[in-house]
Amino acid sequence: TMEHEDIPELIDEEHTNNCVNGAKFSDDDDDDDFSDVDEEMEMEPVQCLFCKLDLSNVEAGIEHLKLAHKIDFHRLKSKFQMEQYSFIKLINCIRSEDVPAEKFITAEIPFWNDEKYLKPKEYEAWLSYDYDEMPAESEEPNESKSETNLTSEINALKEKVKEKELLLEQAREDMAKMRQSFQRLLDKESAPVVCTKNGKVLPLNSVAGVSAEADSGYFSSYAHFGIHHEMLSDEVRTTSYRDALLLNKSYVSDKDVLDVGCGTSVLSIFASQAGAKSVVGVDNSDIIYNAMDIVKRNNIDNVSLVKGRLEDTKLPQEKFDIIISEWMGYFLLFEGMLDSVIYARDTHLREGGIVLPNRCTMSIVGYGSEALYKNQVTFWDDVYGLDMSNMRKEVMHEPLIDIVDAEHILTEPNLIADLNIENVDLNYSNFSYEFNLKCTKSGEISAFVGYFDTFFDLPVPVMFSTSPNSKPTHWKQVVFFLEQKQIVSVGDCVKGNIICRRSRSSARSLDITIDSFGNKCTYYLD
């Protein structure tokens, strides 16, 4: 619900002259700038993380750590599924706590994976290293490998190349970010890997790092009445929240409640009806002016509404017993509003308080509807007699948001993520899961379908599901189509891997990669 002023605007990569924060760059200028910067970056020295030895650059430092201290960052990446933030936390943990190398060698859990280690003691070149580009640990070359194994490795490399090609559309945006970061280095400024908000250290790519101006479009979308009509008309959603409060009046009674992203204030009013002592609703959308009138018309005297971004707004009171929010998006995490709930929890929740809902899970199933696949994918093969099959490749990367028929579910579900909202951190959207879907029907799998479940663990528990087997909601389901349909039989197990990452280009968007049936595809939920 906020953006950092340093994050560049999106770039239209089809234009030869690109504008970044008002400055135009030609391709030739880019090449010259990056050549100069790369040379300087390669020469920037670093000090070993465990001894006083100075190394010529980060790459030399990594090699020294492996040879002298037995610390292999390739192995750590593979063992703990580390990414950029984890690497930064590890570096800062070593510098802050003076951790010996032996502790990392014998570690079974990533003990450095704490938000406090996002704040560096001081800038050093280690923090600018692109750890995401480092390959995870792999097998050492073996001259005795069979021709079949070599062929398999070649095919795997081809798949990696294919995936890289699909990511080229993000290259311009990434280059713009790098250009700004490198320019700060040239100006002898510290390149920020984190931002601060009200004294708190936050990851640069969180919603908190988004400037108010850049994030205005998100809030403007919630100023329209249609979206609130859709949400209020969703009986599953609205009655679940109402029941969680009204069926637990003894729990809510005399409590102070904060409603994050209150919209029309319906949840604030439910909390008041449940006996809350006071309720504060906050929303940065203009719909809040209508909400103020709704509260007045219904003679609710203990609800106060505040317009503004939570992270930038002073509330009538500082602490609350209950934080409630309807923050969920498509595939649960789209829109990144959970960032604001986490901020509210860490800033405004009293000790012993609760966040509602307090738990959410994400699941996927194998799906096979010939009609849906034909309507959405093979449709492009013959459009009024025209061959538009080139569109299929692009369509594959856009998940379909739709209500699917449970009749065509072919597998048991797998729960791929379980989020405890009372302790989850801002890295929640970055995870991977090795799925194993047991087939309950024979047929052709044409897609994987994702959905989520939501839980209010109260004295009278309440939950709802967005599963295809449950009553439809406005969240529907998310359909990830396969490039080629796959025949399965009862008892078969569909194995694969799903990786979810917060988008580099937008803190509110997701990049989801699914690797199964020997094919890998990245889907962009934005």
Side-chain angles (χ1 to χ4, degrees):
T1 328
M2 320 133 262
E3 246 164 57
H4 195 281
E5 288 79 355
D6 287 341
I7 295 180
E9 299 174 354
L10 295 180
I11 300 172
D12 184 353
E13 59 189 50
E14 293 184 3
H15 287 69
T16 55
N17 289 329
N18 304 297
C19 182
V20 180
N21 292 342
K24 291 187 176 180
F25 299 86
S26 70
D27 290 341
D28 291 340
D29 290 341
D30 289 347
D31 293 340
D32 292 341
D33 291 344
F34 276 109
S35 177
D36 294 341
V37 172
D38 286 344
E39 290 178 5
E40 185 163 337
M41 287 293 293
E42 289 175 1
M43 296 301 295
E44 187 168 359
V46 296
Q47 187 179 72
C48 175
L49 299 174
F50 301 105
C51 65
K52 300 299 183 181
L53 183 65
D54 291 326
L55 290 311
S56 60
N57 52 43
V58 176
E59 292 288 353
I62 290 174
E63 185 65 21
H64 166 75
L65 290 175
K66 184 175 181 180
L67 296 176
H69 301 285
K70 310 303 181 186
I71 298 295
D72 188 342
F73 275 110
H74 298 269
R75 189 185 68 83
L76 290 175
K77 183 172 188 177
S78 176
K79 182 176 181 179
F80 297 113
Q81 298 297 302
M82 287 177 60
E83 34 70 50
Q84 190 68 41
Y85 285 142
S86 301
F87 178 74
I88 291 169
K89 291 176 183 177
L90 186 149
I91 299 299
N92 291 333
C93 174
I94 295 172
R95 294 308 194 200
S96 300
E97 311 295 343
D98 196 23
V99 184
E102 292 74 17
K103 188 170 181 179
F104 291 93
I105 296 172
T106 58
E108 294 301 326
I109 59 171
F111 59 85
W112 58 89
N113 203 16
D114 190 303
E115 293 298 306
K116 68 180 180 182
Y117 295 128
L118 278 172
K119 184 177 182 180
K121 291 183 66 175
E122 60 182 16
Y123 169 72
E124 56 181 323
W126 285 106
L127 300 175
S128 296
Y129 182 70
D130 192 350
Y131 189 65
D132 283 340
E133 293 300 316
M134 175 185 283
E137 182 182 49
S138 60
E139 293 184 0
E140 293 295 323
N142 189 329
E143 294 182 357
S144 64
K145 283 185 177 180
S146 67
E147 184 176 344
T148 301
N149 287 340
L150 291 174
T151 302
S152 177
E153 289 184 5
I154 291 172
N155 289 335
L157 289 172
K158 288 180 178 179
E159 288 301 320
K160 289 183 179 180
V161 171
K162 182 179 179 181
E163 181 184 7
K164 293 297 183 182
E165 290 175 348
L166 296 177
L167 295 175
L168 283 177
E169 60 196 69
Q170 296 184 21
R172 291 284 186 181
E173 292 137 10
D174 292 343
M175 289 173 63
K177 294 177 185 179
M178 291 170 62
R179 184 184 299 114
Q180 290 191 330
S181 297
F182 291 154
Q183 187 61 50
R184 283 191 292 267
L185 288 175
L186 292 175
D187 293 340
K188 302 187 184 301
E189 294 180 18
S190 296
V193 296
V194 296
C195 65
T196 58
K197 179 70 69 171
N198 295 344
K200 293 182 177 295
V201 179
L202 302 167
L204 187 61
N205 197 35
S206 69
V207 169
V210 181
S211 69
E213 181 180 1
D215 211 25
S216 61
Y218 168 73
F219 292 107
S220 295
S221 68
Y222 281 92
H224 300 286
F225 300 114
I227 193 169
H228 294 282
H229 180 273
E230 181 183 31
M231 291 189 292
L232 292 170
S233 299
D234 184 343
E235 292 186 4
V236 173
R237 163 200 180 266
T238 309
T239 59
S240 294
Y241 274 87
R242 182 195 63 190
D243 292 348
L245 293 167
L246 298 186
L247 296 180
N248 291 279
K249 286 186 175 183
S250 60
Y251 185 86
V252 179
S253 178
D254 207 34
K255 297 285 201 311
D256 294 317
V257 179
L258 174 62
D259 180 1
V260 178
C262 63
T264 58
S265 76
V266 64
L267 302 187
S268 296
I269 294 174
F270 288 160
S272 174
Q273 292 173 342
K277 179 172 68 176
S278 69
V279 184
V280 174
V282 60
D283 201 305
N284 197 35
S285 168
D286 287 346
I287 197 68
I288 199 168
Y289 298 122
N290 300 89
M292 292 174 181
D293 191 34
I294 291 170
V295 168
K296 184 177 180 180
R297 284 173 179 271
N298 288 276
N299 300 313
I300 311 295
D301 58 9
N302 65 336
V303 171
S304 302
L305 300 181
V306 180
K307 186 179 189 303
R309 298 200 311 173
L310 174 68
E311 295 80 358
D312 306 324
T313 302
K314 183 174 178 58
L315 301 180
Q317 62 190 74
E318 184 65 20
K319 295 294 182 179
F320 299 84
D321 304 294
I322 299 173
I323 293 174
I324 192 165
S325 179
E326 194 274 80
W327 55 267
M328 298 81 74
Y330 298 134
F331 203 50
L332 184 63
L333 306 180
F334 177 60
E335 291 188 342
M337 188 179 166
L338 181 53
D339 285 22
S340 295
V341 176
I342 292 172
Y343 180 89
R345 179 199 68 195
D346 294 346
T347 306
H348 297 294
L349 188 64
R350 286 194 179 110
E351 185 174 354
I354 189 173
V355 181
L356 297 176
N358 64 298
R359 189 165 67 92
C360 293
T361 63
M362 302 169 67
S363 302
I364 61 169
V365 295
Y367 192 77
S369 169
E370 174 63 28
L372 186 63
Y373 194 79
K374 182 177 181 180
N375 185 51
Q376 297 293 326
V377 181
T378 58
F379 164 84
W380 299 101
D381 294 343
D382 184 356
V383 183
Y384 298 102
L386 301 176
D387 182 357
M388 297 188 181
S389 56
N390 59 301
M391 295 287 289
R392 283 182 60 166
K393 182 178 181 180
E394 303 302 323
V395 170
M396 294 304 302
H397 302 295
E398 292 185 5
L400 173 69
I401 310 299
D402 203 356
I403 295 172
V404 302
D405 190 344
E407 177 185 351
H408 300 295
I409 294 177
L410 300 181
T411 74
E412 296 177 348
N414 269 190
L415 191 151
I416 62 173
D418 190 339
L419 304 182
N420 182 341
I421 311 305
E422 295 184 357
N423 57 34
V424 70
D425 63 23
L426 288 171
N427 201 39
Y428 62 85
S429 57
N430 300 317
F431 65 88
S432 63
Y433 183 83
E434 299 284 341
F435 59 82
N436 192 341
L437 305 172
K438 185 176 181 180
C439 294
T440 57
K441 295 180 182 178
S442 297
E444 289 185 321
I445 287 185
S446 55
F448 294 105
V449 170
Y451 62 91
F452 65 89
D453 297 338
T454 301
F455 301 86
F456 303 81
D457 294 327
L458 294 165
V460 179
V462 175
M463 70 84 62
F464 68 86
S465 177
T466 64
S467 162
N469 290 304
S470 301
K471 184 176 179 179
T473 71
H474 79 285
W475 287 288
K476 306 176 183 178
Q477 289 89 39
V478 183
V479 183
F480 305 98
F481 287 109
L482 300 180
E483 187 173 342
Q484 299 292 335
K485 295 181 291 184
Q486 303 291 330
I487 298 174
V488 295
S489 300
V490 174
D492 288 351
C493 287
V494 177
K495 297 182 180 182
N497 176 259
I498 181 169
I499 300 173
C500 182
R501 292 284 183 265
R502 193 190 294 261
S503 172
R504 291 185 179 184
S505 60
S506 171
R508 295 192 180 276
S509 301
L510 299 173
D511 295 346
I512 300 145
T513 301
I514 298 178
D515 187 352
S516 188
F517 296 110
N519 187 60
K520 182 184 292 185
C521 185
T522 299
Y523 306 86
Y524 305 106
L525 194 55
D526 51 23

